[in-house]
Amino acid sequence: MDKVLSVSIASYNVEKFLDQTLESCLVPEIMDKLEVIIVNDGSKDGTAAVAEKYVSMAPGTFVLINKENGGYGSTVNAGIKAATGKYFRLLDGDDWFDKDGLREFIGILEQADEDMVIARFRRVFETDGHTEESDQGAKLPFVTGTFDELPDDAWFTMHAITYRTRLLQDNSVTLTEHCFYTDQEYDLLPLRWVNTVRVAPVTVYCYRIGRGEQSISLSGLEKHYNEQTIVLKRLYNEYADVFKRQTKKDNYIFKYLGKRTRFQIRTYLIISKSKQHKQELIDFVEYLKSEQPAIYQRLMMRKSFKLLVWSHYAAYGILHHLMLKKYRY
């Protein structure tokens, strides 16, 4: 039977989480319709051994790719290349699926013919175990339609997004390697070819939040903050023309880039206060002013950013204190 969904799992030193991740894919009714591609990105722990256990258990469903370390984007690239399913989505090696949601989602995908499918996801907080249901897709006014029918407040991340596999493969969608935050490239790069969208009103993905090694943790941001700038600059260049047009998709991309740019400004303000970090913030803002004026003007509508610029960065210290105090993860 042809596979309905290929799931690419980025796996780097996730031995203690991977059992939960892979076990969440063991749903007997859909095993013949599901392809789980575990991409071991040069792990130094027992990640590969855990993966091999599941390949032995269900060789028709689980596939293991062992490769040299190349970063998150390289695992997605390997997964796209290997995928044989009708649809393709990501699952991080420390997250998991809701089994009931996955079962229902496969049934929806069997009937689907759209370029992109949006499902709900659940945030699970490590600190106290509480959960939050995402509303990405939950409030959309249609089940199927065109991208241009999306409401103005639509906003999707990799936890919600599934693409038609052929759309990714035929257009050679490739993420940046040896770099963090490339899930944002997955969110945005394929949109050039997305015309139709289906909303699947089911929770599929369970997103673990609060693990110290995560890229969105303070320690992760401290180590990799400049890689966010690398990703943003690629996306600015890939979609330079969106600032000149006014289609619904262009506006969505512009809004997405604006949100991610605000996050990067906030990142510069919450990492450790230093002359180096202050200067890097200044350099990034000056780059935006000269090279990305549309994004810059959008940021100037926000009080904190306007204060930063109008104070000639004298407000850096107080904004660092305020942003750090408010940072949630």
Side-chain angles (χ1 to χ4, degrees), residues 140 148-155 248 251-252 255 259:
L140 298 188
D148 286 346
E149 292 178 75
L150 293 173
D152 291 337
D153 61 351
W155 166 252
K248 196 67 171 284
N251 290 337
Y252 175 92
K255 180 187 71 173
K259 284 190 175 187

Side-chain angles (χ1 to χ4, degrees), residues 23-260:
E23 198 280 332
S24 74
C25 299
L26 288 174
V27 183
E29 303 95 312
I30 61 170
M31 297 298 286
D32 58 342
K33 303 171 185 177
L34 182 65
E35 177 180 56
V36 180
I37 305 166
I38 310 152
V39 186
N40 176 30
D41 194 33
S43 297
K44 301 183 186 306
D45 64 358
T47 291
V50 175
E52 287 166 357
K53 178 177 70 173
Y54 284 84
V55 173
S56 298
M57 188 185 310
T61 298
F62 294 94
V63 178
L64 173 60
I65 298 175
N66 288 307
K67 57 183 284 300
E68 294 183 1
N69 183 262
Y72 188 87
S74 74
T75 70
V76 178
N77 295 340
I80 292 173
K81 184 177 180 180
T84 65
K86 176 183 175 184
Y87 281 96
F88 178 93
R89 70 159 302 141
L90 304 180
L91 175 63
D92 286 349
D94 55 352
D95 295 331
W96 65 98
F97 285 140
D98 179 292
K99 284 190 171 186
D100 291 335
L102 180 61
R103 182 187 299 108
E104 185 175 349
F105 188 58
I106 291 287
I108 291 170
L109 293 182
E110 283 187 286
Q111 304 302 317
D113 192 41
E114 288 72 27
D115 299 323
M116 181 169 75
V117 181
I118 303 299
R120 301 173 186 174
F121 67 92
R122 180 180 302 120
R123 298 179 182 91
V124 182
F125 291 81
E126 289 273 275
T127 49
D128 58 9
H130 86 275
T131 64
E132 293 178 356
E133 294 294 321
S134 155
D135 64 356
Q136 293 186 13
K139 298 178 180 178
L140 298 188
F142 62 85
V143 175
T144 64
T146 66
F147 199 97
D148 286 346
E149 292 178 75
L150 293 173
D152 291 337
D153 61 351
W155 166 252
F156 310 124
T157 58
M158 56 80 67
H159 313 93
I161 297 172
T162 297
Y163 291 113
R164 179 180 287 281
T165 303
R166 295 304 306 177
L167 181 145
L168 302 175
Q169 293 175 340
D170 291 349
N171 294 292
S172 302
V173 173
T174 305
L175 309 193
T176 302
E177 303 198 355
H178 300 285
C179 188
F180 275 61
Y181 310 110
T182 49
D183 58 303
Q184 295 166 36
E185 296 178 350
Y186 177 82
D187 296 346
L188 223 57
L189 290 177
L191 293 189
R192 189 178 301 277
W193 302 283
V194 169
N195 293 312
T196 53
V197 182
R198 175 181 288 258
V199 176
V202 56
T203 298
V204 180
Y205 195 112
C206 298
Y207 174 29
R208 186 191 308 271
I209 293 178
R211 188 164 72 87
E213 300 91 339
Q214 286 178 301
S215 61
I216 61 169
S217 69
L218 283 175
S219 62
L221 292 172
E222 190 82 33
K223 292 177 183 176
H224 304 289
Y225 64 93
N226 275 329
E227 294 169 49
Q228 171 78 79
T229 303
I230 292 171
V231 168
L232 280 172
K233 287 184 175 180
R234 179 186 178 188
L235 292 174
Y236 296 148
N237 291 332
E238 291 279 351
Y239 284 112
D241 52 346
V242 304
F243 309 120
K244 303 173 184 176
R245 300 197 306 263
Q246 293 296 319
T247 69
K248 196 67 171 284
K249 190 188 297 184
D250 292 330
N251 290 337
Y252 175 92
I253 293 167
F254 180 52
K255 180 187 71 173
Y256 184 104
L257 290 173
K259 284 190 175 187
R260 289 306 186 186

